[in-house]
Amino acid sequence: MEANNSIIHVILTGGVGSRLWPLSRRSQPKQYLEMFDGKSLFEMTVDRNSHLADKVMVVGNVDNHNLSGRVMDKSKTTYTNIVEATPRNTAAAIAFAAFASNPEDILIVTPSDHIIEKMEDYNIAINEAILKAKEGFIVTFGIIPTKPETGYGYIESKGDKVVSFREKPNETTAKNFIARGNFLWNSGMFCFKAGVLLDELKQFEPDVYEKSKSVWEASKEGFLNLELSLEIPSISVDYAVMERSKKIKVVPAAFSWSDLGSFESVYDYLVSKGHSIDNNGNMVIGTEKYTAFLGLKNTIFIYTDTANLILQKENSQDVKDLYGELERQNSELLN
C-alpha cells in the first residue's frame, strides 16, 4: 500500500526587495506590502496555491516571521514555520523544507513576492509539474517570454529538456534569445520529491547537505540555530542542483508572471490594473496628495513617511545601487 504522501507548498520569503526601496524596508519587505487590491504579494501567493497543496511551509527569517504569521492568521492557514537565523541563500532554504518533509512528499517551491495571473494556465503547469515530480524529476518552471527582458535569467529548452541555464542577458543577447524562440524566463519556481532533491544536493554539494541537515536536526520548533547556520555555504539552488543535475525537466508555462523586482515592473503592473498616470506617463505611488510633473516623462514618484524617491522608469535597476550606498552608511532609512 502506498504511504499517504502530501503535496506541500513551500513559500520562500527571505528577501528584502532592495530594488523597491523606499517602499520595501527590512521591517516591511515588498512581499508584505498591502498595495495590490488591499492584499500583499505574500497573501496572494498563499491564496493561489491553497487548492493545489495539502500543506504549507513558510521558510522565513527572524526579521519577518511575525509578518508571515499575520498573513497566515488572516487567511486561516495552518502551516509549518521554518525560521532561518541568517540568510544562507536558496539551496539551504529549500533543503530545510525538504528535511522537514517525508522523502516521498512533493514540494511546490515558490517565492512569496511574485505576481501571477491567468490562473487556468498556472494550474495546468503545476499539475504537469506534479506528474513529472512523481516520476522522480526535479521540475523548474520556464515562463514563455513576452519581451526581451534583461532582468531575468533564462532557460534554453528543447521540449521539457533543459539545454542550459543562462544568466541575466544584456539587451542584444535578450533579443537574440527571443528571436531563437526556445528560451524561457527562469521563474525561480520548482517542483520535486523532497528525497530526490536531497539526494542530488548530497551528490553535488555534500557540505551544504550535511550542514543544513545538522542545522535542521538542532532546530527548536522551526527556529534554526545561528552558530550552526553560519557554517552552511551560501549557494543558490540553481548553482547547487539545477545547473548540474541530470534529473531536471522544465515545464514551459503560459501563465502571466512577473517577479515585481523593480519599479518598472511595478509600474507596468499597476498601469494594467488602472492605477492613474498623467499624459506623459508619470506615476505617483504612496500618496493621495496632488502631485504635478512638468517637463518630465515616465517618471515615478514614490512617497513614504521618511523617504521619497523620484526616478525615470528606465533607471529602475539603479535603485539597488542606492540601497547599497545607504547600507554602507548604515542608514536608519533601510529599517
Side-chain angles (χ1 to χ4, degrees):
M1 208 179 95
E2 200 175 280
N4 189 7
N5 297 310
S6 306
I7 292 175
I8 302 173
H9 177 209
V10 178
I11 306 174
L12 304 179
T13 181
V16 174
S18 58
R19 285 177 298 169
L20 294 190
W21 181 89
L23 277 186
S24 188
R25 310 281 180 107
R26 286 181 189 139
S27 58
Q28 194 76 347
K30 70 166 177 176
Q31 57 270 32
Y32 303 103
L33 300 169
E34 294 195 346
M35 59 180 280
F36 306 96
D37 306 328
K39 285 191 171 184
S40 65
L41 295 170
F42 186 106
E43 189 179 343
M44 289 157 80
T45 303
V46 174
D47 288 351
R48 88 170 67 94
N49 292 286
S50 57
H51 65 290
L52 296 166
D54 315 313
K55 295 181 185 170
V56 180
M57 267 181 207
V58 177
V59 185
N61 57 39
V62 278
D63 293 329
N64 71 15
H65 73 95
N66 292 331
L67 296 170
S68 299
R70 250 175 255 162
V71 176
M72 300 312 269
D73 291 346
K74 183 180 168 188
S75 62
K76 300 188 168 48
T77 309
T78 33
Y79 68 108
T80 303
N81 197 18
I82 299 175
V83 182
E84 294 186 290
T86 178
R88 275 349 247 159
N89 214 317
T90 49
I94 289 172
F96 298 140
F99 283 124
S101 310
N102 295 322
E104 289 292 307
D105 286 343
I106 287 179
L107 275 46
I108 301 168
V109 180
T110 74
S112 59
D113 56 358
H114 291 181
I115 279 277
I116 290 175
E117 290 171 326
K118 296 206 219 157
M119 289 319 295
E120 207 170 302
D121 291 329
Y122 179 77
N123 296 342
I124 289 168
I126 295 277
N127 288 321
E128 194 180 322
I130 289 170
L131 290 175
K132 291 183 196 295
K134 283 182 173 164
E135 293 169 19
F137 293 107
I138 295 172
V139 183
T140 175
F141 293 81
I143 312 296
I144 297 164
T146 52
K147 59 176 198 273
E149 173 64 60
T150 57
Y152 300 148
Y154 284 73
I155 297 169
E156 185 184 359
S157 64
K158 191 178 176 185
D160 68 354
K161 292 183 183 62
V162 175
V163 179
S164 67
F165 287 90
R166 303 292 185 93
E167 297 295 312
K168 295 176 182 177
N170 61 26
E171 191 80 25
T172 315
T173 310
K175 284 181 172 149
N176 176 26
F177 285 174
I178 302 295
R180 284 168 61 184
N182 64 324
F183 282 78
L184 305 163
W185 288 338
N186 189 352
S187 70
M189 292 173 48
F190 309 104
C191 181
F192 48 74
K193 283 186 186 174
V196 171
L197 187 279
L198 289 174
D199 287 347
E200 295 296 273
L201 183 63
K202 190 175 186 175
Q203 182 183 338
F204 298 114
E205 289 290 341
D207 208 26
V208 176
Y209 174 89
E210 292 301 343
K211 288 180 172 153
S212 300
K213 189 167 195 257
S214 306
V215 168
W216 177 248
E217 285 169 353
S219 68
K220 295 191 169 50
E221 292 175 9
F223 284 80
L224 309 184
N225 174 290
L226 177 60
E227 273 165 71
L228 290 175
S229 296
L230 287 167
E231 292 179 23
I232 304 172
S234 179
I235 296 176
S236 74
V237 75
D238 287 322
Y239 173 72
V241 176
M242 303 301 156
E243 294 175 15
R244 293 146 92 176
S245 168
K246 296 281 178 279
K247 295 185 177 174
I248 309 295
K249 294 274 187 196
V250 61
V251 168
F255 55 84
S256 115
W257 171 88
S258 166
D259 72 350
L260 288 191
S262 69
F263 278 115
E264 183 164 15
S265 51
V266 170
Y267 177 102
D268 292 343
Y269 175 74
L270 290 175
V271 167
S272 78
K273 289 290 175 210
H275 189 100
S276 63
I277 47 176
D278 72 9
N279 293 337
N280 291 314
N282 301 304
M283 176 184 281
V284 179
I285 297 175
T287 177
E288 298 294 307
K289 281 184 188 160
Y290 174 76
T291 308
F293 299 82
L294 297 178
L296 298 170
K297 277 193 170 72
N298 297 334
T299 301
I300 310 174
F301 173 68
I302 296 109
Y303 174 91
T304 72
D305 288 345
T306 54
N308 298 329
L309 176 65
I310 301 162
L311 76 156
Q312 288 295 160
K313 182 168 69 135
E314 297 73 42
N315 290 64
S316 294
Q317 298 296 335
D318 302 343
V319 178
K320 200 169 189 162
D321 302 336
L322 173 63
Y323 190 94
E325 185 52 44
L326 291 167
E327 218 163 21
R328 279 190 290 282
Q329 298 166 14
N330 207 359
S331 170
E332 288 290 298
L333 294 171
L334 301 184
N335 297 334

Coordinates of all heavy atoms in Angstrom, one line a residue, residues 221-297:
E221 N 11.3 24.0 17.4 CA 10.0 24.5 16.9 C 10.2 25.3 15.7 O 9.6 26.4 15.5 CB 9.3 25.3 18.0 CG 8.9 24.4 19.2 CD 8.3 25.2 20.3 OE1 8.1 26.4 20.2 OE2 8.0 24.5 21.4
G222 N 11.0 24.8 14.8 CA 11.2 25.5 13.5 C 12.3 26.7 13.5 O 12.6 27.2 12.5
F223 N 12.7 27.1 14.7 CA 13.7 28.1 14.8 C 15.1 27.5 14.6 O 15.5 26.5 15.3 CB 13.6 28.9 16.1 CG 12.5 29.8 16.1 CD1 11.2 29.4 16.4 CD2 12.7 31.2 15.9 CE1 10.1 30.3 16.3 CE2 11.6 32.1 15.9 CZ 10.3 31.6 16.1
L224 N 15.9 28.0 13.7 CA 17.3 27.5 13.4 C 18.4 28.2 14.2 O 18.3 29.4 14.4 CB 17.5 27.5 11.9 CG 16.4 27.0 11.0 CD1 16.8 27.0 9.6 CD2 16.0 25.5 11.4
N225 N 19.4 27.4 14.5 CA 20.5 27.9 15.4 C 21.5 28.8 14.5 O 21.9 28.4 13.4 CB 21.2 26.7 15.9 CG 22.5 27.1 16.7 OD1 23.5 27.5 16.1 ND2 22.4 26.9 18.0
L226 N 21.8 30.0 15.1 CA 22.6 30.9 14.3 C 24.1 30.4 14.1 O 24.5 30.4 13.0 CB 22.7 32.3 15.1 CG 23.6 33.3 14.4 CD1 23.1 33.6 13.0 CD2 23.7 34.6 15.3
E227 N 24.7 29.9 15.2 CA 26.1 29.5 15.0 C 26.3 28.4 14.0 O 27.1 28.4 13.1 CB 26.7 29.0 16.3 CG 27.3 30.1 17.2 CD 27.5 29.7 18.6 OE1 28.4 28.8 18.8 OE2 26.7 30.1 19.5
L228 N 25.4 27.4 14.1 CA 25.5 26.3 13.1 C 25.1 26.8 11.7 O 25.7 26.3 10.7 CB 24.5 25.2 13.5 CG 24.8 24.3 14.8 CD1 23.7 23.4 15.1 CD2 26.1 23.6 14.6
S229 N 24.1 27.7 11.6 CA 23.7 28.2 10.3 C 24.8 28.9 9.6 O 24.9 28.8 8.3 CB 22.5 29.1 10.4 OG 21.4 28.4 10.9
L230 N 25.7 29.6 10.3 CA 26.7 30.4 9.7 C 27.8 29.5 9.0 O 28.5 29.9 8.1 CB 27.4 31.2 10.7 CG 26.6 32.5 11.2 CD1 27.2 33.1 12.4 CD2 26.5 33.5 10.1
E231 N 27.8 28.2 9.3 CA 28.7 27.2 8.7 C 28.2 26.7 7.3 O 29.0 26.2 6.6 CB 28.9 26.0 9.6 CG 29.7 26.4 10.9 CD 29.9 25.2 11.8 OE1 29.9 24.1 11.3 OE2 30.1 25.5 13.0
I232 N 26.9 27.0 7.0 CA 26.4 26.5 5.7 C 26.9 27.4 4.6 O 26.7 28.6 4.7 CB 24.8 26.5 5.7 CG1 24.3 25.7 6.9 CG2 24.3 26.0 4.4 CD1 22.8 25.9 7.1
P233 N 27.5 26.8 3.6 CA 27.9 27.7 2.4 C 26.7 28.3 1.8 O 25.6 27.7 1.7 CB 28.5 26.6 1.4 CG 28.9 25.5 2.3 CD 27.9 25.4 3.4
S234 N 26.8 29.6 1.5 CA 25.7 30.4 0.9 C 25.7 30.2 -0.6 O 26.4 30.8 -1.3 CB 25.8 31.8 1.3 OG 24.8 32.6 0.7
I235 N 24.8 29.3 -1.1 CA 24.8 28.9 -2.5 C 23.4 28.9 -3.0 O 22.5 28.4 -2.3 CB 25.5 27.5 -2.7 CG1 27.0 27.6 -2.3 CG2 25.3 27.0 -4.2 CD1 27.7 26.2 -2.4
S236 N 23.1 29.3 -4.2 CA 21.8 29.3 -4.7 C 21.5 27.8 -5.2 O 22.3 27.1 -5.6 CB 21.6 30.2 -5.9 OG 22.2 29.6 -7.1
V237 N 20.2 27.5 -5.1 CA 19.8 26.1 -5.6 C 20.0 26.0 -7.1 O 20.3 24.9 -7.5 CB 18.3 25.9 -5.2 CG1 17.3 26.6 -6.2 CG2 18.0 24.4 -5.2
D238 N 20.0 27.1 -7.8 CA 20.3 27.0 -9.3 C 21.7 26.4 -9.5 O 21.9 25.5 -10.2 CB 20.2 28.4 -9.9 CG 18.8 28.8 -10.0 OD1 17.9 28.0 -10.3 OD2 18.5 30.0 -9.8
Y239 N 22.6 27.0 -8.8 CA 24.0 26.6 -8.9 C 24.3 25.2 -8.3 O 24.9 24.4 -8.8 CB 25.0 27.7 -8.3 CG 26.4 27.2 -8.2 CD1 27.2 27.1 -9.4 CD2 27.0 26.8 -7.0 CE1 28.5 26.7 -9.4 CE2 28.3 26.4 -7.0 CZ 29.0 26.3 -8.2 OH 30.3 25.8 -8.2
A240 N 23.7 25.0 -7.1 CA 24.0 23.8 -6.4 C 23.4 22.5 -7.1 O 24.0 21.5 -7.2 CB 23.4 23.9 -4.9
V241 N 22.2 22.7 -7.6 CA 21.5 21.5 -8.1 C 21.0 21.7 -9.6 O 21.3 20.8 -10.4 CB 20.3 21.1 -7.3 CG1 19.5 20.0 -7.9 CG2 20.7 20.8 -5.8
M242 N 20.3 22.7 -9.9 CA 19.6 22.8 -11.2 C 20.6 22.8 -12.3 O 20.3 22.1 -13.4 CB 18.8 24.1 -11.2 CG 17.8 24.3 -10.1 SD 16.6 22.9 -10.1 CE 16.0 23.0 -8.4
E243 N 21.7 23.5 -12.2 CA 22.6 23.5 -13.4 C 23.5 22.3 -13.5 O 24.3 22.2 -14.4 CB 23.5 24.8 -13.2 CG 22.7 26.1 -13.3 CD 23.6 27.3 -13.1 OE1 24.8 27.2 -13.1 OE2 22.9 28.4 -12.9
R244 N 23.4 21.4 -12.5 CA 24.3 20.2 -12.5 C 23.6 18.9 -12.6 O 24.1 17.9 -13.1 CB 25.2 20.3 -11.3 CG 26.1 21.5 -11.3 CD 26.4 22.0 -10.0 NE 27.5 21.5 -9.3 CZ 28.0 21.9 -8.2 NH1 27.4 22.9 -7.5 NH2 29.0 21.3 -7.7
S245 N 22.4 18.8 -12.1 CA 21.7 17.5 -12.1 C 21.2 17.1 -13.4 O 20.9 17.9 -14.3 CB 20.4 17.7 -11.2 OG 19.6 16.6 -11.3
K246 N 21.2 15.7 -13.6 CA 20.7 15.1 -14.9 C 19.2 14.9 -14.8 O 18.6 14.3 -15.7 CB 21.4 13.8 -15.1 CG 22.9 14.0 -15.3 CD 23.2 14.5 -16.8 CE 24.7 14.7 -17.0 NZ 25.2 16.0 -16.4
K247 N 18.6 15.2 -13.6 CA 17.1 14.9 -13.4 C 16.2 16.1 -13.6 O 15.1 16.1 -13.2 CB 17.0 14.4 -12.0 CG 17.7 13.1 -11.8 CD 17.4 12.5 -10.4 CE 18.1 11.1 -10.2 NZ 17.9 10.6 -8.8
I248 N 16.7 17.1 -14.3 CA 15.9 18.4 -14.4 C 15.0 18.3 -15.6 O 15.4 17.9 -16.7 CB 16.8 19.6 -14.5 CG1 17.9 19.6 -13.4 CG2 16.0 20.9 -14.5 CD1 17.3 19.8 -12.0
K249 N 13.8 18.7 -15.4 CA 12.8 18.9 -16.5 C 12.3 20.4 -16.4 O 12.3 20.9 -15.3 CB 11.7 18.0 -16.5 CG 12.0 16.5 -16.7 CD 12.1 16.1 -18.1 CE 12.3 14.7 -18.3 NZ 12.7 14.4 -19.7
V250 N 11.9 20.9 -17.6 CA 11.3 22.3 -17.5 C 9.8 22.1 -18.0 O 9.6 21.4 -19.0 CB 12.1 23.3 -18.3 CG1 12.2 23.0 -19.8 CG2 11.5 24.7 -18.1
V251 N 8.9 22.8 -17.3 CA 7.6 22.9 -17.8 C 7.5 24.3 -18.4 O 7.5 25.3 -17.7 CB 6.5 22.8 -16.7 CG1 5.1 23.2 -17.2 CG2 6.5 21.3 -16.2
P252 N 7.3 24.4 -19.8 CA 7.1 25.8 -20.4 C 5.7 26.2 -20.1 O 4.7 25.5 -20.4 CB 7.3 25.5 -21.9 CG 7.9 24.1 -22.0 CD 7.4 23.4 -20.8
A253 N 5.6 27.4 -19.4 CA 4.3 27.8 -18.9 C 3.8 29.1 -19.5 O 4.6 30.0 -19.7 CB 4.4 27.9 -17.4
A254 N 2.5 29.1 -19.7 CA 1.9 30.3 -20.4 C 1.3 31.3 -19.5 O 0.7 32.3 -19.9 CB 1.0 29.8 -21.5
F255 N 1.3 31.0 -18.2 CA 0.7 32.0 -17.3 C 1.5 33.3 -17.2 O 2.6 33.3 -17.6 CB 0.5 31.4 -15.8 CG 1.7 30.9 -15.1 CD1 2.6 31.8 -14.4 CD2 2.0 29.5 -15.1 CE1 3.7 31.3 -13.8 CE2 3.2 29.1 -14.5 CZ 4.0 29.9 -13.8
S256 N 0.8 34.4 -16.9 CA 1.4 35.7 -16.9 C 2.2 35.8 -15.6 O 1.6 35.6 -14.5 CB 0.4 36.8 -17.2 OG 0.3 37.6 -16.2
W257 N 3.4 36.3 -15.6 CA 4.3 36.2 -14.4 C 5.2 37.4 -14.4 O 5.7 37.8 -15.4 CB 5.1 34.9 -14.5 CG 6.2 34.8 -13.5 CD1 6.1 34.3 -12.2 CD2 7.6 35.1 -13.6 NE1 7.3 34.3 -11.6 CE2 8.2 34.8 -12.4 CE3 8.3 35.7 -14.7 CZ2 9.6 35.0 -12.2 CZ3 9.7 35.9 -14.5 CH2 10.3 35.6 -13.3
S258 N 5.4 38.0 -13.2 CA 6.4 39.0 -13.0 C 7.0 38.8 -11.6 O 6.2 38.5 -10.7 CB 5.8 40.4 -13.2 OG 6.7 41.4 -12.7
D259 N 8.3 39.1 -11.4 CA 8.8 39.0 -10.1 C 8.7 40.3 -9.4 O 9.2 40.5 -8.2 CB 10.3 38.5 -10.1 CG 11.2 39.5 -10.6 OD1 10.8 40.5 -11.2 OD2 12.5 39.3 -10.5
L260 N 8.1 41.3 -10.0 CA 7.9 42.7 -9.5 C 9.2 43.1 -8.8 O 9.2 43.6 -7.7 CB 6.8 42.7 -8.5 CG 5.4 42.7 -9.1 CD1 4.3 43.0 -8.1 CD2 5.2 43.6 -10.3
G261 N 10.3 42.8 -9.5 CA 11.6 43.1 -8.9 C 12.1 44.5 -9.0 O 13.2 44.9 -8.5
S262 N 11.4 45.3 -9.8 CA 11.8 46.7 -10.0 C 10.6 47.6 -10.1 O 9.5 47.1 -10.3 CB 12.6 46.8 -11.3 OG 11.8 46.6 -12.4
F263 N 10.9 48.9 -9.9 CA 9.7 49.8 -10.1 C 9.2 49.8 -11.5 O 8.0 50.1 -11.7 CB 10.2 51.2 -9.6 CG 10.1 51.4 -8.2 CD1 11.3 51.7 -7.4 CD2 8.9 51.3 -7.5 CE1 11.2 51.8 -6.0 CE2 8.8 51.4 -6.1 CZ 10.0 51.7 -5.4
E264 N 10.0 49.5 -12.5 CA 9.5 49.4 -13.8 C 8.4 48.3 -13.9 O 7.3 48.5 -14.5 CB 10.6 49.1 -14.8 CG 10.1 49.1 -16.3 CD 11.2 49.2 -17.3 OE1 12.4 49.0 -17.0 OE2 10.8 49.5 -18.5
S265 N 8.7 47.1 -13.3 CA 7.6 46.1 -13.4 C 6.4 46.4 -12.5 O 5.3 46.0 -12.8 CB 8.3 44.7 -13.0 OG 9.0 44.7 -11.9
V266 N 6.7 47.1 -11.4 CA 5.5 47.5 -10.5 C 4.7 48.5 -11.3 O 3.4 48.4 -11.3 CB 6.0 48.2 -9.2 CG1 4.9 48.8 -8.5 CG2 6.7 47.1 -8.3
Y267 N 5.3 49.4 -12.0 CA 4.7 50.4 -12.8 C 3.8 49.8 -13.9 O 2.6 50.0 -14.0 CB 5.7 51.3 -13.5 CG 5.2 52.4 -14.5 CD1 5.2 53.7 -14.1 CD2 4.9 52.1 -15.8 CE1 4.8 54.7 -15.0 CE2 4.5 53.1 -16.7 CZ 4.4 54.4 -16.2 OH 4.0 55.4 -17.1
D268 N 4.4 48.8 -14.6 CA 3.6 48.1 -15.7 C 2.4 47.4 -15.1 O 1.3 47.4 -15.7 CB 4.5 47.1 -16.4 CG 5.6 47.8 -17.2 OD1 5.4 49.0 -17.5 OD2 6.6 47.1 -17.6
Y269 N 2.6 46.7 -13.9 CA 1.5 46.0 -13.3 C 0.4 47.0 -12.9 O -0.8 46.7 -13.1 CB 2.0 45.2 -12.1 CG 0.9 44.5 -11.4 CD1 0.3 43.4 -11.9 CD2 0.5 45.0 -10.1 CE1 -0.8 42.8 -11.3 CE2 -0.6 44.4 -9.5 CZ -1.2 43.3 -10.0 OH -2.3 42.7 -9.4
L270 N 0.8 48.1 -12.2 CA -0.2 49.0 -11.7 C -1.0 49.6 -12.8 O -2.2 49.8 -12.8 CB 0.4 50.1 -10.8 CG 1.0 49.6 -9.4 CD1 1.7 50.7 -8.7 CD2 -0.1 49.0 -8.6
V271 N -0.3 50.0 -13.9 CA -1.0 50.5 -15.1 C -2.0 49.5 -15.6 O -3.2 49.9 -15.9 CB 0.0 50.9 -16.2 CG1 -0.7 51.2 -17.5 CG2 0.8 52.1 -15.8
S272 N -1.6 48.2 -15.7 CA -2.6 47.2 -16.2 C -3.8 47.1 -15.2 O -4.8 46.6 -15.7 CB -1.9 45.9 -16.3 OG -1.8 45.2 -15.0
K273 N -3.6 47.5 -14.0 CA -4.7 47.5 -13.0 C -5.5 48.8 -12.9 O -6.3 49.0 -12.0 CB -4.2 47.1 -11.6 CG -3.8 45.6 -11.6 CD -5.0 44.7 -11.6 CE -4.6 43.2 -11.7 NZ -5.5 42.4 -12.4
G274 N -5.2 49.8 -13.8 CA -5.9 51.0 -13.8 C -5.4 52.1 -12.9 O -6.1 53.1 -12.6
H275 N -4.2 51.9 -12.3 CA -3.5 53.0 -11.5 C -3.3 54.2 -12.4 O -2.8 54.0 -13.5 CB -2.2 52.4 -10.9 CG -1.6 53.3 -9.9 ND1 -1.7 53.0 -8.5 CD2 -0.8 54.4 -10.0 CE1 -1.0 54.0 -7.9 NE2 -0.5 54.8 -8.7
S276 N -3.6 55.4 -11.9 CA -3.6 56.5 -12.8 C -2.1 57.0 -13.1 O -1.2 57.0 -12.3 CB -4.4 57.7 -12.2 OG -3.8 58.1 -11.0
I277 N -2.0 57.5 -14.4 CA -0.7 58.1 -14.8 C -1.2 59.4 -15.6 O -2.3 59.4 -16.0 CB 0.2 57.3 -15.7 CG1 -0.6 56.6 -16.8 CG2 0.9 56.2 -14.9 CD1 0.2 55.8 -17.8
D278 N -0.3 60.4 -15.6 CA -0.7 61.6 -16.4 C -0.4 61.4 -17.9 O 0.0 60.3 -18.3 CB 0.0 62.8 -15.8 CG 1.5 62.9 -16.1 OD1 2.0 62.1 -16.9 OD2 2.2 63.8 -15.6
N279 N -0.6 62.4 -18.7 CA -0.5 62.3 -20.1 C 0.9 61.9 -20.6 O 1.1 61.5 -21.7 CB -0.9 63.5 -20.8 CG -2.4 63.7 -20.7 OD1 -3.2 62.7 -20.4 ND2 -2.9 65.0 -20.8
N280 N 1.9 62.2 -19.7 CA 3.3 61.9 -20.1 C 3.8 60.6 -19.4 O 5.0 60.4 -19.3 CB 4.2 63.1 -19.8 CG 3.9 64.3 -20.7 OD1 3.8 64.1 -21.9 ND2 3.8 65.4 -20.1
G281 N 2.9 59.8 -18.9 CA 3.3 58.5 -18.3 C 3.9 58.6 -16.9 O 4.6 57.7 -16.5
N282 N 3.7 59.8 -16.2 CA 4.2 59.9 -14.9 C 3.3 59.3 -13.8 O 2.1 59.4 -14.0 CB 4.5 61.4 -14.6 CG 5.4 62.0 -15.5 OD1 6.6 61.6 -15.7 ND2 5.0 63.1 -16.2
M283 N 3.9 58.7 -12.8 CA 3.1 58.0 -11.8 C 3.5 58.3 -10.4 O 4.6 58.5 -10.1 CB 3.2 56.4 -12.0 CG 2.5 55.6 -10.9 SD 2.8 53.8 -11.1 CE 1.7 53.4 -12.4
V284 N 2.5 58.4 -9.5 CA 2.7 58.6 -8.1 C 2.3 57.3 -7.4 O 1.3 56.8 -7.6 CB 1.8 59.8 -7.6 CG1 2.1 60.0 -6.1 CG2 2.1 61.0 -8.3
I285 N 3.2 56.9 -6.5 CA 2.9 55.7 -5.6 C 3.0 56.1 -4.2 O 4.0 56.8 -3.8 CB 3.9 54.6 -5.9 CG1 3.8 54.1 -7.3 CG2 3.7 53.4 -4.9 CD1 4.8 53.0 -7.7
G286 N 2.0 55.9 -3.4 CA 2.2 56.0 -1.9 C 1.6 57.3 -1.3 O 1.6 57.5 -0.1
T287 N 1.0 58.1 -2.1 CA 0.3 59.3 -1.5 C -0.9 59.7 -2.4 O -0.8 59.6 -3.6 CB 1.3 60.5 -1.3 OG1 0.5 61.6 -0.8 CG2 2.0 60.9 -2.6
E288 N -1.9 60.3 -1.8 CA -3.0 60.8 -2.5 C -2.8 62.3 -2.7 O -3.7 62.9 -3.4 CB -4.3 60.6 -1.6 CG -4.7 59.2 -1.3 CD -5.0 58.4 -2.6 OE1 -5.9 58.9 -3.3 OE2 -4.5 57.3 -2.8
K289 N -1.8 62.9 -2.2 CA -1.5 64.3 -2.3 C -1.4 64.7 -3.8 O -0.8 64.0 -4.6 CB -0.2 64.7 -1.6 CG -0.4 64.9 -0.1 CD 0.9 65.4 0.5 CE 0.8 65.3 2.0 NZ 2.1 65.4 2.6
Y290 N -1.9 65.9 -4.1 CA -1.8 66.4 -5.5 C -0.4 66.5 -5.9 O 0.4 67.1 -5.1 CB -2.5 67.7 -5.6 CG -2.3 68.4 -7.0 CD1 -3.0 67.9 -8.1 CD2 -1.4 69.4 -7.1 CE1 -2.8 68.5 -9.3 CE2 -1.2 70.0 -8.4 CZ -1.9 69.5 -9.5 OH -1.7 70.1 -10.7
T291 N 0.1 65.9 -7.0 CA 1.5 65.9 -7.4 C 1.5 66.2 -8.9 O 0.8 65.5 -9.6 CB 2.1 64.5 -7.1 OG1 1.9 64.2 -5.8 CG2 3.6 64.6 -7.4
A292 N 2.2 67.2 -9.3 CA 2.3 67.6 -10.7 C 3.7 67.4 -11.2 O 4.7 67.6 -10.5 CB 1.8 69.0 -10.9
F293 N 3.8 66.9 -12.5 CA 5.1 66.7 -13.1 C 5.1 67.7 -14.3 O 4.3 67.6 -15.2 CB 5.2 65.3 -13.7 CG 5.1 64.2 -12.6 CD1 3.9 63.8 -12.1 CD2 6.3 63.6 -12.1 CE1 3.8 62.7 -11.2 CE2 6.2 62.6 -11.2 CZ 5.0 62.2 -10.7
L294 N 6.1 68.5 -14.4 CA 6.2 69.4 -15.5 C 7.5 69.1 -16.3 O 8.6 69.0 -15.7 CB 6.3 70.9 -15.0 CG 5.0 71.4 -14.3 CD1 5.1 72.8 -13.8 CD2 3.8 71.2 -15.2
G295 N 7.4 68.9 -17.6 CA 8.6 68.6 -18.4 C 9.2 67.3 -18.1 O 10.4 67.1 -18.5
L296 N 8.5 66.4 -17.5 CA 9.0 65.1 -17.2 C 8.2 64.0 -17.9 O 7.0 64.1 -18.0 CB 9.0 64.8 -15.7 CG 9.9 65.7 -14.9 CD1 9.6 65.5 -13.4 CD2 11.3 65.5 -15.1
K297 N 8.8 62.9 -18.3 CA 8.1 61.8 -18.9 C 8.5 60.5 -18.2 O 9.7 60.3 -17.8 CB 8.6 61.6 -20.4 CG 7.9 62.5 -21.4 CD 8.2 62.0 -22.8 CE 7.3 62.7 -23.8 NZ 7.7 64.1 -24.1

